[in-house]
Amino acid sequence: MNEAGDIEREDSLTRVEAFSDGVLAIIITIMVLELKTPIQESLSALWALWPIFIAYVLSYAYVAIYWVNHHRLLGHARVVTSGLLWSNMLLLFTLSLIPFSTAYLGEHHFGREATLLYLVTMITPALAYILLQSRVAATGAKTVASRRYHKASHRKGLAAAAIYALGIPLTFLSPWLGVACAALVAGFWMLPWSAMDRLFLDRVPPAGS
Amino acid sequence: MNEAGDIEREDSLTRVEAFSDGVLAIIITIMVLELKTPIQESLSALWALWPIFIAYVLSYAYVAIYWVNHHRLLGHARVVTSGLLWSNMLLLFTLSLIPFSTAYLGEHHFGREATLLYLVTMITPALAYILLQSRVAATGAKTVASRRYHKASHRKGLAAAAIYALGIPLTFLSPWLGVACAALVAGFWMLPWSAMDRLFLDRVPPAGS
Amino acid sequence: MNEAGDIEREDSLTRVEAFSDGVLAIIITIMVLELKTPIQESLSALWALWPIFIAYVLSYAYVAIYWVNHHRLLGHARVVTSGLLWSNMLLLFTLSLIPFSTAYLGEHHFGREATLLYLVTMITPALAYILLQSRVAATGAKTVASRRYHKASHRKGLAAAAIYALGIPLTFLSPWLGVACAALVAGFWMLPWSAMDRLFLDRVPPAGS
Amino acid sequence: MNEAGDIEREDSLTRVEAFSDGVLAIIITIMVLELKTPIQESLSALWALWPIFIAYVLSYAYVAIYWVNHHRLLGHARVVTSGLLWSNMLLLFTLSLIPFSTAYLGEHHFGREATLLYLVTMITPALAYILLQSRVAATGAKTVASRRYHKASHRKGLAAAAIYALGIPLTFLSPWLGVACAALVAGFWMLPWSAMDRLFLDRVPPAGS
């Protein structure tokens, strides 16, 4: 342990990841509990569940994206500081609200208030992620690859938050425009990393910045 | 990190496994929540739960089989690519729907629509698993043993998907035929690996292909 | 991978433990969901929850004991075989029924049928554990310490199953006698290992058998 | 395994951490299930959830603090003894009651009985943590840094328990004073470690005690 009280035991970062994995795995799985079995056995009763199912698909994609990004981000961390721990806890907190807003979105068939709430619960983890990333960038690996990664990732994070924020006024026109903004972010995060990096780093030379 | 953006940190694969384990552990355990305690305290009230219990046993066996297969499959992986991550996420998504279809199957006493839905939620993870396996085969270990493993496993996966698909028309004759198809697949996956390999690799010479 | 198809990758055992930990952690935690908050805010409304709370304490102790024993048992394993994997899955299945029988026991205030069901769901994991242990003993470490451990542990397992079985006829006299049998087993598993080993190994010489 | 039956396999401590992480991750996540979606879609229906949301935020902060402290504490452990295992199990048991008292606190809008119950469920893990820490201090690392850590941490633990205990009589004056005590402890645990150590170790010389 150094003077600042940072934990430096080798497996410490592994434990942060393990805890985050546990929370994310539970978040992703409790959302499916909203898919309550219909009392009647008929295809039409199943069909009536479509808004809840679509909301689940969308939110599953989000949490999966966060897991993938988190996994990649912590690959650049080197030391577990108080700042990293608490910004990670904040990120997990904001993500833990997604099952609530997902259930609300599905049960109210993508209505206006529900879509607004959903977009807000999408913006908060985006902001918490930017904070966590700045902590990892400050204390993590300083290689050229890491610096390129942080630069691209920071821009992507800001772009995502901006699109969600844009979705809020658009929802007043039509909730489907708000949902489309959320889906757009999901779609562009699922692009392969190499395509993403080209998109967000076209003016950054590959060796050094 | 290489040019294609693949993560190559040593513990990266471990984290994919840990996340998958978390999701599978939760899926397997939330199914038991469907076994709701009867309000009356009597053996007949407990006995009335048998369809829900049988559906739980069947689905527990499935998820356990997926865990065992997933565990063996990732033992052949060497690198975590975008393709591996997303096909793994797709597999976990399809598996996350099993608690829903299991509850539906049990509550509707193995009725026709419920059995059809159950077979569909069995086919989708089978297809996602084939996709994940092709990703591991493409980027994983290239030893003779690995190649034999992938060949046998691919054939078993196709056979399982075919038996589920066959169960769909049979369910229109009788739902129990559909359930029998699902049980047949479970039974043959639980055979010891050596017996399985003999069954699916009898024409593949042990050294090289 | 050897001829028999056993997995021998180094971290493979770790993953079996991780999955078991996940399932046990969820089992232990979903039991607390039975403690439903009373609608009225009063000490008497809280006090009325005592049977559910006592049932939770008892079952928490059981699952904790299984975790501790499982942790110690797998410390003697060396290789992950099909037999180990499936007997472990069987153990986790039998344990997964504990939340159900715990809820039933608490809701029906330790009545006769509920106590009988509880004892049955205590006997089944005891038997599955004996099976798992025999698999670890067959393929695990063969040191003197391991052999002593397996001998003591096997005897303890049989003793526990016998006490539960004894509880079944006693429950017909009074359910509290059945509950006392369950509590007796919990109490004697929580003794320190050194005391346990003295109790169950007094005629086994410390060096070799 | 030594004479006293302590487990000394290298990854054994890792498994204790993994199990604890699983239980803590589930505790933190099931609390969010109390945020039930309102049937009406309106901002006022969402607004009515504020007591449940505030209770969730407070309890999330607590469990997060316990995770961070637990993570740091086990970094000083060296061997897994029976005492460490069971005091850890006791800690997890006491923490597992937090979702219940959190739900009660939120549903009854920070009323008197609910606040008293909440403070009691805050004191019990504080005491269990002191017990666990004494077990780690007895068998763990004996470096100067570890001794300083245990001294500071022990004092902080006693201070936290004392503030909670003080909250109990204050709750009879006003429940908000009780909640303020709980929030005060959360606030002072979230200070950076270096500030905390200065606060609790000002008379302990940095090199040796």
Side-chain angles (χ1 to χ4, degrees):
Chain A
M1 201 165 304
N2 62 20
E3 286 302 301
D6 297 338
I7 295 179
E8 289 187 18
R9 203 165 57 119
E10 261 175 39
D11 60 341
S12 190
L13 197 57
T14 308
R15 203 180 158 191
V16 175
E17 292 178 332
F19 181 71
S20 308
D21 286 352
V23 172
L24 290 173
I26 300 161
I27 288 172
I28 228 170
T29 327
I30 63 178
M31 287 192 300
V32 87
L33 292 175
E34 281 305 311
L35 272 176
K36 298 198 182 74
T37 51
I39 291 165
Q40 288 187 305
E41 189 194 4
S42 69
L43 289 182
S44 64
L46 284 175
W47 179 250
L49 293 174
W50 74 265
I52 294 175
F53 183 74
I54 297 295
Y56 173 56
V57 170
L58 195 58
S59 293
Y60 182 95
Y62 272 109
V63 182
I65 287 166
Y66 270 104
W67 185 85
V68 169
N69 288 346
H70 190 265
H71 178 264
R72 204 183 176 199
L73 174 59
L74 289 200
H76 294 273
R78 290 294 170 268
V79 61
V80 178
T81 59
S82 257
L84 185 147
L85 276 180
W86 287 109
S87 53
N88 192 51
M89 283 294 179
L90 183 65
L91 175 63
L92 296 177
F93 176 78
T94 56
L95 289 170
S96 78
L97 298 174
I98 289 183
F100 174 75
S101 62
T102 303
Y104 200 60
L105 186 68
E107 284 165 19
H108 293 290
H109 292 208
F110 297 83
R112 181 157 297 140
E113 275 82 5
T115 305
L116 287 174
L117 180 72
Y118 191 73
L119 286 169
V120 169
T121 57
M122 287 293 135
I123 289 177
T124 52
L127 297 178
Y129 189 85
I130 289 171
L131 183 66
L132 175 61
Q133 189 177 37
S134 73
R135 293 301 82 213
V136 172
T139 61
K142 305 288 188 201
T143 61
V144 171
S146 280
R147 264 192 243 137
R148 271 175 65 79
Y149 163 76
H150 285 300
K151 185 160 282 182
S153 192
H154 184 68
R155 289 176 185 182
K156 280 178 267 181
L158 289 178
I163 295 173
Y164 292 134
L166 181 69
I168 288 178
L170 288 177
T171 300
F172 286 98
L173 289 176
S174 158
W176 291 108
L177 288 173
V179 173
C181 285
L184 177 68
V185 175
F188 101 92
W189 274 112
M190 278 196 204
L191 290 174
W193 290 323
S194 46
M196 291 275 281
D197 287 351
R198 259 195 307 278
L199 194 64
F200 282 97
L201 284 175
D202 46 1
R203 278 163 305 181
V204 183
S209 62
Chain B
M1 202 165 303
N2 62 20
E3 285 302 301
D6 298 337
I7 295 179
E8 289 188 16
R9 203 166 57 121
E10 263 174 39
D11 62 340
S12 189
L13 196 57
T14 308
R15 205 180 158 192
V16 175
E17 292 178 333
F19 180 71
S20 307
D21 286 353
V23 172
L24 290 174
I26 300 161
I27 288 173
I28 227 170
T29 326
I30 62 179
M31 287 192 300
V32 87
L33 293 174
E34 280 304 311
L35 271 175
K36 298 199 181 75
T37 50
I39 291 166
Q40 288 187 305
E41 189 195 3
S42 69
L43 289 183
S44 63
L46 284 174
W47 179 250
L49 293 174
W50 74 263
I52 294 174
F53 183 74
I54 296 295
Y56 173 55
V57 170
L58 196 58
S59 292
Y60 182 97
Y62 273 110
V63 182
I65 287 167
Y66 270 103
W67 185 85
V68 169
N69 288 345
H70 189 266
H71 178 263
R72 203 182 177 200
L73 174 59
L74 289 199
H76 293 274
R78 291 294 169 267
V79 62
V80 178
T81 59
S82 257
L84 186 148
L85 276 180
W86 286 108
S87 52
N88 192 51
M89 283 293 180
L90 182 65
L91 174 63
L92 295 177
F93 175 78
T94 57
L95 289 170
S96 79
L97 298 174
I98 289 183
F100 174 75
S101 62
T102 303
Y104 200 60
L105 187 68
E107 284 165 19
H108 292 292
H109 292 208
F110 297 83
R112 181 157 297 139
E113 274 82 3
T115 305
L116 286 175
L117 180 73
Y118 192 73
L119 286 169
V120 169
T121 57
M122 287 294 134
I123 290 177
T124 52
L127 297 178
Y129 189 84
I130 289 172
L131 183 67
L132 175 62
Q133 190 177 34
S134 74
R135 294 300 82 214
V136 173
T139 61
K142 305 287 189 201
T143 60
V144 170
S146 280
R147 264 192 242 138
R148 271 176 64 80
Y149 163 76
H150 285 300
K151 185 161 281 182
S153 193
H154 184 68
R155 289 176 186 182
K156 280 178 266 181
L158 290 178
I163 296 174
Y164 291 135
L166 180 69
I168 289 179
L170 288 177
T171 299
F172 286 98
L173 289 175
S174 158
W176 290 108
L177 288 174
V179 172
C181 284
L184 177 69
V185 176
F188 100 90
W189 273 112
M190 279 196 203
L191 290 174
W193 290 325
S194 47
M196 290 275 281
D197 287 351
R198 258 195 308 278
L199 194 64
F200 283 95
L201 283 175
D202 47 0
R203 279 164 305 182
V204 183
S209 61
Chain C
M1 201 164 303
N2 62 20
E3 287 301 301
D6 297 337
I7 294 179
E8 290 188 17
R9 202 165 57 121
E10 263 175 37
D11 61 340
S12 190
L13 197 58
T14 308
R15 204 180 159 192
V16 175
E17 293 178 331
F19 180 71
S20 308
D21 285 353
V23 172
L24 290 174
I26 300 160
I27 288 173
I28 228 170
T29 326
I30 62 178
M31 288 192 300
V32 88
L33 293 175
E34 280 305 311
L35 272 176
K36 299 198 181 76
T37 51
I39 291 164
Q40 288 187 305
E41 189 195 4
S42 69
L43 288 183
S44 63
L46 284 174
W47 179 249
L49 292 174
W50 73 264
I52 295 175
F53 183 73
I54 297 295
Y56 173 55
V57 171
L58 195 58
S59 293
Y60 182 95
Y62 272 109
V63 182
I65 287 167
Y66 270 104
W67 185 85
V68 170
N69 288 345
H70 189 267
H71 178 264
R72 203 183 177 199
L73 175 59
L74 288 200
H76 294 273
R78 290 295 169 268
V79 62
V80 178
T81 59
S82 257
L84 186 148
L85 276 179
W86 286 109
S87 52
N88 193 51
M89 282 293 180
L90 182 65
L91 174 63
L92 296 177
F93 176 78
T94 57
L95 290 169
S96 79
L97 299 174
I98 289 183
F100 174 75
S101 62
T102 302
Y104 200 60
L105 187 69
E107 284 165 19
H108 293 291
H109 292 208
F110 296 83
R112 182 156 297 140
E113 274 82 5
T115 305
L116 286 175
L117 180 73
Y118 191 73
L119 287 170
V120 169
T121 57
M122 286 294 134
I123 289 177
T124 52
L127 297 178
Y129 189 84
I130 289 172
L131 184 66
L132 175 62
Q133 190 177 34
S134 74
R135 294 299 82 215
V136 173
T139 61
K142 305 286 189 202
T143 61
V144 170
S146 280
R147 265 191 241 137
R148 270 176 65 80
Y149 163 75
H150 285 300
K151 186 161 282 183
S153 193
H154 184 68
R155 289 177 185 182
K156 281 178 266 183
L158 289 178
I163 296 173
Y164 292 135
L166 181 69
I168 289 179
L170 289 176
T171 300
F172 285 98
L173 290 175
S174 159
W176 290 108
L177 289 174
V179 173
C181 284
L184 177 68
V185 175
F188 100 91
W189 275 111
M190 278 197 204
L191 290 174
W193 291 324
S194 46
M196 290 276 280
D197 287 351
R198 260 196 305 281
L199 193 65
F200 282 96
L201 283 175
D202 47 359
R203 279 164 304 182
V204 184
S209 60
Chain D
M1 200 166 302
N2 63 19
E3 286 301 300
D6 297 337
I7 295 179
E8 289 187 18
R9 203 164 57 120
E10 263 175 38
D11 61 341
S12 188
L13 197 57
T14 308
R15 204 180 158 192
V16 175
E17 293 178 332
F19 180 71
S20 307
D21 286 353
V23 172
L24 290 173
I26 300 161
I27 288 173
I28 227 169
T29 326
I30 63 178
M31 288 192 299
V32 88
L33 293 175
E34 281 304 311
L35 272 176
K36 298 198 182 75
T37 51
I39 291 165
Q40 288 187 305
E41 190 195 2
S42 69
L43 289 182
S44 64
L46 284 175
W47 179 250
L49 292 174
W50 73 264
I52 295 175
F53 183 74
I54 297 295
Y56 173 55
V57 171
L58 195 58
S59 293
Y60 183 96
Y62 272 110
V63 181
I65 288 167
Y66 270 103
W67 185 85
V68 169
N69 288 346
H70 189 267
H71 178 264
R72 203 183 177 200
L73 175 59
L74 288 200
H76 294 272
R78 290 296 170 267
V79 61
V80 177
T81 60
S82 256
L84 186 147
L85 276 180
W86 286 108
S87 52
N88 192 51
M89 283 293 180
L90 182 65
L91 175 63
L92 296 178
F93 176 78
T94 57
L95 290 170
S96 78
L97 298 174
I98 290 182
F100 173 75
S101 62
T102 303
Y104 200 60
L105 187 68
E107 285 165 18
H108 293 290
H109 292 208
F110 297 82
R112 182 156 298 140
E113 275 81 4
T115 306
L116 286 175
L117 180 74
Y118 191 73
L119 286 169
V120 169
T121 56
M122 286 294 135
I123 290 176
T124 52
L127 298 178
Y129 190 85
I130 290 171
L131 183 66
L132 174 62
Q133 189 176 37
S134 74
R135 294 299 81 212
V136 173
T139 60
K142 305 287 189 201
T143 61
V144 170
S146 280
R147 264 192 242 138
R148 272 175 64 79
Y149 163 75
H150 285 300
K151 185 161 282 183
S153 193
H154 184 68
R155 289 176 186 183
K156 280 177 266 180
L158 289 178
I163 296 173
Y164 291 136
L166 181 68
I168 289 179
L170 289 176
T171 300
F172 286 98
L173 290 175
S174 159
W176 291 108
L177 289 173
V179 173
C181 284
L184 177 68
V185 176
F188 100 91
W189 274 112
M190 278 196 204
L191 290 174
W193 290 323
S194 47
M196 290 276 281
D197 287 351
R198 260 196 306 280
L199 193 64
F200 283 97
L201 283 175
D202 46 1
R203 279 164 304 182
V204 183
S209 61

